[in-house]
Structure formats: structure tokens, C-alpha cells
Amino acid sequence: MCGIVAFLTAPGGNVVPRLLAGLDRLEYRGYDSAGLAVVTSEGILAARRTVGKVACLREDIARDPVHGPVGIAHTRWATHGRPSVPNAHPHLSGDTLALVHNGIIENQVLLRAELESAGYVFRSETDSEVIVHLIHRARRQGASLPEAVAEARSRLEGTYAIAVIDRDEPATIVAAREGSPLVVGFPDPDGELLGALASDPAALAGFASRVLYLEDGDIAVVRGGNVDVVEHKGSPTARAVHDNPCHPAALDRGGFRHYMLKEIHEQPVAVERTLESRLVRGHVPDEIFGPQAAGVLSATRSVHLVACGTSYHASLLGRRVLGRLAGVETLAEVASEYRYQPPPVGPGSLIVAVSQSGETADTLAAVRQARTLGYESLLGICNVAGSSLLRETPLAFLTQAGPEIGVASTKAFSTQTVGLYLLALALARHRTASSQSLAEGTQALHQLPDALRTALDLEPSVKGVAEEIAEDAHVLYIGRGNHYPVALEGALKLKEISYIHAEAYPAGELKHGPLALVDHRMPVVALVPRDELFEKMTSNLAEISARGGRLYIFTDAVDLPSFPGARIVPVPGPWPPLVSPLVYTVVLQLLAYHTAVAKGTDVDQPRNLAKSVTVE
């Protein structure tokens, strides 16, 4: 979940401004501490490390400048060891080696004891420091820097992406990957930049126009404008080179106060991009999921969805739509739980992994386990081209959300849900669904972008509600049917960025326990669309009202009964069943955002969290 960036220039160059710019773009991956190390033009290994965000590092370097033609940098999400300067990266061994690391070394206790017995003194609580000392020991024994990295790697158990520089090989960066993402950048040939590395291509936007994605087991050596890659068995290999999918203009806030607000407002366009070329003459072509999709979908009898966090909530909504529209048995599992008790895999089972980054460790682990269980095939739904998930699943659906910088996912949820809707329509056609139901489904998706725009128009009304609940310590969300997953996602958003404790329940479950929480101090956010469950939902509202609960009702119904003291926020509608949940999702995203702003919390970088969860 940490961010890594590295640059190499010709002698006399200075990589520090580029390193800081790259860290700014990677800060969503962690912001407990930050640091960089360079080999200066005078041949000195110099490092700067600070607790806090990249801005703190920038201030430190302004007070005590450092520069050099080659360097590595890191922004940290703490795992082993609290946020502190000794635990910040880069980690050094002697006055020659510096290393940055993302991942977890599972055998670090044994390695630390071995290295301490060999005379190495550890200055941090981290697992990462064992790697740099292993490399240093191999270098003392005569190995070149790439050989030393290979030797150290052979001793590691766990996950890692590392980048290493050495004072004694100053024109070289060596990197290795196992389970954590790492990309190599190819700068334009007419510039001074000779090479680049990062844990996300976004860090290289504007610096490297082309990238290659390292595979697990790869070691990459960047020097002299060349990149040599060796795969895990030690043989040279060639990895495909792609255009960098990220552009600097897509990475700024565009006049919005926060990235999260910008990304909420981008959802209509993101959904339009995700639907583009995926609805052809009123149906969903199988080929949007891959060349082999037609055979797989025709054989599919059940679907198992695996995901984490927001992607799991999208999967819960997708599960309902797949079951109702396509008539296939569908399960949705939290990826970290699926691994330890996978469901029975029968003939025609398709597993679908959903992830914003495509690097979520638990989701990737579930996919790797699923390969051994006899599924018909594996499908990845993801927002990042070239991600591990899309490279590891035979079928793939690339959403078109564009870069998502805010830690709390917003447009990822809506575009992932659209991907699952499209899968449901494709499966429905193979299962001889009526032409009328398929036409209604595709027509609903065509309405979706404009429907989301109407939801954004509610922002002033939603802001008023947010300012009221910002003073509360707890909030209860309720919904029914397709809107229950939306309630779950709304509660998650509120707790993520405002730190208010929020829970969501199916409204029918209130009387089985949660109703004990309801009194005048408990705000209840209720999603009340005018759908087949409307009457049931109004009965649940009456239960809350009778017990003095504070109701905040979001509804598109014009015939809602009166509830004393309830605050009603009219929502445009009613909408078709595929559209309505996403309209209400946007409303709840705005509610969470404005509540956090009213409380003064850090919206884009909430405490204790990071975006790309690459550790288990």
C-alpha cells in the first residue's frame, strides 16, 4: 500500500523535483511518512526522511537541500512499526545502499536474528530493513548489485516491490517484484531522463510516455537508458511495453476543493465511457469480456463474485441483478474470507473478481486459489489497464472510470456496478431471456448517465443534511432490495472520511435487534424509492418514528406518508431498477463528503487508510 518512485538521469542531472512530484501522485497509497535517497554527483549517498505527508518532506528538503542524478523515494502506510523517522523509507545499509519497499516480509523475524548475529545493527522496527542488509551482505561478498538483489530475493518469504540504489554503482537502479505492483517507465529519448520506476504509472505521468509492467519474480535493471528484465528462473525476458495510461491533466483537482468531490462529479462521464461500445444495437456483445467469452458465458450456470470494501458492495448489488435478470445462482464473497472457505464449485461456475486497482492483495490471492478449484473461467473487472488482476484472469472487463485519487472510492463503485450489469445482460441473452427484458435493461443503462446528473443537482439539499448529522456520533442507514447494498456503501463512506460510526441494515431487520438503538439521538438515513418494496419500507419508517428516531428520508415518492419530525430530501425519479441504486449512491456519497467537510477531517486522505491495499 506504500508508494515507490525512482528516477535516473544523465550525470549532472537532479532527480529530486521528479521524485517529489511522483510522491505527490502516490500519496493516496500511504501518508504516514515519506522519504527519498539520492546518490549525489559527488558520489555520496544522501537521504531525507520525515513523519507525515509529502509536504513535510518537501519542507525538510527546502531547509536542507539535496540533489543527485539517481534516486528513490517512498510514501508509507505503516505495517511493521509506528510512523516515525527511523521507520520511514528509504532504509540504508552502511553508507552505500538505500532501498524502498512495498509489501510484507513474512520471515523477517528469522532474517533479522540471522543478520544481527552477523553484526548488522537494525535502526527500525520494519520488516523492510532486513532486505537492504541482505543485499549489503551479498555485495560485501563480491556480488554485483543485480546479483545481490537476486541473492536477497531468494531468502524472502512474502510480498514485495523494491527499488535499490548503490553509491558504488551510481548509474543503476535495480528493482524486484513479488506480489506488489511495479512498473518501469521509458522516457522520451530526447530528454535527460534515462529511466524510471514506480508502483503506479500515475507517478510517471509526464515523465515516461511508455511503461512495462513487471511480473511476479522479475528483477529489472535500469541503467544507461536501457532496461533488462530477468524472470524468476534467472533467464532474460522481454515484457510488453504499453503507452502510459495516465496523463498529468487527469491527476489534478480541476477546480474542485477535493479529489473526492471531483470524482463524485465525474461519474456521469465515467459511466458513459464504461458503456461506450459495450451496448451494440441494443445488446451486450460477449467480446467485451474477452475473445473466449462467448463459450464461457454460454456454459455459465453460476457466478461467484469476490471483492473487498467498496468493490464488495458493488458485488452485492451485482449479485441481485445477476440473479434476477440472468437467472443464474450468484454468490458474493469478501475476498479475504473466500480464501479460507471457498464455496462448492460445480459445472459451469464462473468466478468474477472486482477491484478498483487490480492490485488488491486479498482479491488476487482469491483469484490464484480459484485457479485450482475447477472454475469454468475467471473474469476480472478493474479500472487499471495492465494491472495484475487483468493480466491474471483469462476474461477481463476494463472500466473507464479514469484515475481515482481520493482514498474513498466513488466512481469505481458506479463503473464496477455497470460492468456487472453488462455481465448480467450478456448472461441473460445466453439463457434465453425475453427480448423485452433485455431491451428494458439496455434502455435503462442508456438513461444512467443523465440520471446521475440529476442526483448531482441535489448537492445543496444534501449539504444541509450533512451539516446536521456532522454533530452526531452514530448514524444508522437502512434500505431494502437493491438499495440495501447502497445503504452499506453509504455507511462505509461516512465512517471512512468523517470518522462517524455508521452501520447499515436491511430495513426489515430493524425489529430483530437494531431498533434497540433508535431514540431521538440516533439519526436514521432511509432510502425510500417508489419501487415494489415501497409499502414495506414505509412500515419500517413508522417503526422508527414511533420510537422517536430522527429520520432523514431520501425518496423519489410523491405519496410518502407523513412522519413527525422527519426531514425529507426529494430525489428525482422513479427510475428503473438498474438505475435507481446508483442515483441513491451518488446522493449518499455527497452526504458523506459534506459531513466530512463540516467536521474538518481530511477528506482525500483519511486516517489509517490507503487506497491500493497491496498487503493482506
Side-chain angles (χ1 to χ4, degrees):
M1 293 163 69
C2 307
I4 291 171
V5 63
F7 289 109
L8 171 66
T9 68
N14 182 21
V15 296
V16 171
R18 294 182 179 92
L19 292 174
L20 292 170
L23 288 183
D24 284 334
R25 296 171 184 171
L26 292 176
E27 200 165 28
Y28 69 89
R29 286 177 169 262
Y31 29 87
D32 293 328
S33 60
L36 59 79
V38 299
V39 177
T40 70
S41 298
E42 295 76 28
I44 298 170
L45 180 66
R48 300 287 186 273
R49 301 183 297 175
T50 61
V51 174
K53 298 186 178 184
V54 175
C56 299
L57 177 64
R58 195 183 298 275
E59 292 170 1
D60 185 67
I61 291 172
R63 289 190 297 267
D64 186 11
V66 63
H67 56 82
V70 60
I72 55 178
H74 188 272
T75 181
R76 181 174 185 247
W77 184 79
T79 53
H80 290 73
R82 67 192 186 283
S84 67
V85 170
N87 289 335
H89 295 227
H91 290 291
L92 278 59
S93 190
D95 57 0
T96 58
L97 273 173
L99 169 143
V100 290
H101 166 229
N102 183 18
I104 290 179
I105 305 304
E106 295 172 357
N107 61 335
Q108 63 101 11
V109 173
L110 293 175
L111 292 173
R112 179 182 285 252
E114 174 188 319
L115 289 161
E116 286 176 334
S117 67
Y120 283 92
V121 176
F122 282 78
R123 292 176 168 79
S124 78
E125 305 166 277
T126 70
D127 55 335
S128 307
E129 194 177 355
V130 301
I131 313 174
V132 71
H133 292 323
L134 285 172
I135 296 170
H136 184 271
R137 184 171 66 176
R139 289 285 280 145
R140 285 199 312 186
Q141 294 168 352
S144 67
L145 183 57
E147 290 169 343
V149 170
E151 169 63 24
R153 185 189 67 175
S154 70
R155 302 293 312 283
L156 302 178
E157 297 175 8
T159 61
Y160 52 84
I162 61 173
V164 189
I165 57 173
D166 187 332
R167 182 197 66 187
D168 297 331
E169 293 191 30
T172 303
I173 304 170
V174 179
R177 168 196 167 139
E178 184 66 51
S180 290
L182 205 56
V183 300
V184 180
F186 293 86
D188 295 330
D190 56 351
E192 70 167 3
L193 197 60
L194 299 179
L197 287 156
S199 48
D200 187 319
L204 306 181
F207 302 124
S209 57
R210 297 175 300 140
V211 295
L212 69 78
Y213 298 88
L214 296 180
E215 301 286 350
D216 282 349
D218 284 353
I219 291 178
V221 181
V222 180
R223 57 187 163 201
N226 296 316
V227 178
D228 297 312
V229 180
V230 175
E231 48 86 42
H232 71 285
K233 294 181 180 179
S235 301
T237 188
R239 300 297 182 205
V241 177
H242 308 268
D243 290 338
N244 189 336
C246 299
H247 302 280
L251 301 174
D252 63 39
R253 290 201 302 270
F256 288 91
R257 181 175 177 182
H258 296 98
Y259 280 110
M260 183 179 177
L261 185 60
K262 173 182 181 252
E263 289 156 9
I264 290 171
H265 280 263
E266 286 176 338
Q267 287 175 105
V269 173
V271 166
E272 284 175 338
R273 288 197 303 261
T274 300
L275 289 172
E276 188 177 2
S277 303
R278 269 77 181 255
L279 291 175
V280 180
R281 293 186 297 276
H283 80 282
V284 179
D286 296 333
E287 293 75 18
I288 69 172
F289 302 104
Q292 296 83 37
V296 172
L297 297 182
S298 65
T300 295
R301 297 296 175 266
S302 65
V303 176
H304 296 168
L305 304 168
V306 292
C308 302
T310 286
S311 299
Y312 173 65
H313 294 156
S315 298
L316 288 175
L317 180 53
R319 176 180 68 84
R320 292 173 175 272
V321 173
L322 281 158
R324 174 168 288 195
L325 186 59
V328 294
E329 178 187 359
T330 308
L331 301 174
E333 298 279 350
V334 175
S336 58
E337 292 295 318
Y338 167 91
R339 293 179 58 197
Y340 302 104
Q341 192 172 357
V345 179
S349 293
L350 170 68
I351 188 166
V352 181
V354 187
S355 169
Q356 189 280 137
S357 68
E359 305 294 348
T360 306
D362 287 317
T363 304
L364 288 174
V367 165
R368 289 159 187 165
Q369 182 176 4
R371 289 201 202 105
T372 69
L373 299 179
Y375 282 94
E376 185 74 28
S377 190
L378 293 86
L379 166 64
I381 295 179
C382 179
N383 185 41
V384 180
S387 64
S388 296
L389 178 61
L390 296 191
R391 297 201 306 275
E392 294 190 25
T393 51
L395 304 183
F397 181 88
L398 180 66
T399 64
Q400 298 291 339
E404 190 177 68
I405 307 301
V407 166
S409 280
T410 51
K411 57 183 179 174
F413 179 90
S414 54
T415 54
Q416 288 168 353
T417 300
V418 167
L420 291 168
Y421 284 177
L422 292 169
L423 177 62
L425 287 167
L427 284 170
R429 180 167 48 83
H430 281 281
R431 295 176 66 81
T432 64
S434 71
S435 57
Q436 179 180 350
S437 65
L438 292 175
E440 290 173 352
T442 56
Q443 184 179 9
L445 290 185
H446 282 300
Q447 296 179 54
L448 187 51
D450 285 339
L452 299 184
R453 291 184 176 96
T454 67
L456 292 169
D457 291 338
L458 295 178
E459 189 166 1
S461 299
V462 174
K463 183 179 179 183
V465 174
E467 290 169 349
E468 291 185 22
I469 68 172
E471 302 302 318
D472 292 295
H474 311 277
V475 179
L476 188 63
Y477 285 67
I478 58 172
R480 297 192 78 136
N482 285 353
H483 293 76
Y484 168 53
V486 174
L488 285 168
E489 177 61 11
L492 175 63
K493 285 291 155 285
L494 189 72
K495 70 182 83 171
E496 279 182 311
I497 62 171
S498 75
Y499 317 145
I500 293 173
H501 174 244
E503 298 295 336
Y505 283 90
E509 284 293 294
L510 283 172
K511 54 189 171 291
H512 298 295
L515 201 57
L517 298 171
V518 171
D519 60 16
H520 68 281
R521 294 167 297 181
M522 174 63 78
V524 180
V525 174
L527 310 183
V528 192
R530 190 64 170 93
D531 60 11
E532 60 189 359
L533 293 170
F534 176 70
E535 285 77 16
K536 298 287 187 184
M537 193 69 190
T538 57
S539 296
N540 301 136
L541 298 181
E543 295 168 354
I544 296 167
S545 180
R547 287 153 179 87
R550 287 166 47 205
L551 278 167
Y552 294 91
I553 302 172
F554 295 85
T555 184
D556 55 35
V558 296
D559 54 347
L560 184 74
S562 175
F563 298 101
R567 174 145 181 189
I568 297 174
V569 178
V571 177
W575 300 102
L578 295 185
V579 175
S580 182
L582 290 178
V583 170
Y584 282 80
T585 295
V586 170
V587 173
L588 294 190
Q589 290 169 351
L590 289 168
L591 178 62
Y593 171 80
H594 284 290
T595 303
V597 170
K599 286 179 64 67
T601 60
D602 191 333
V603 172
D604 286 333
Q605 296 174 347
R607 68 188 182 200
N608 303 334
L609 300 179
K611 190 164 190 68
S612 184
V613 187
T614 57
V615 296
E616 297 179 21

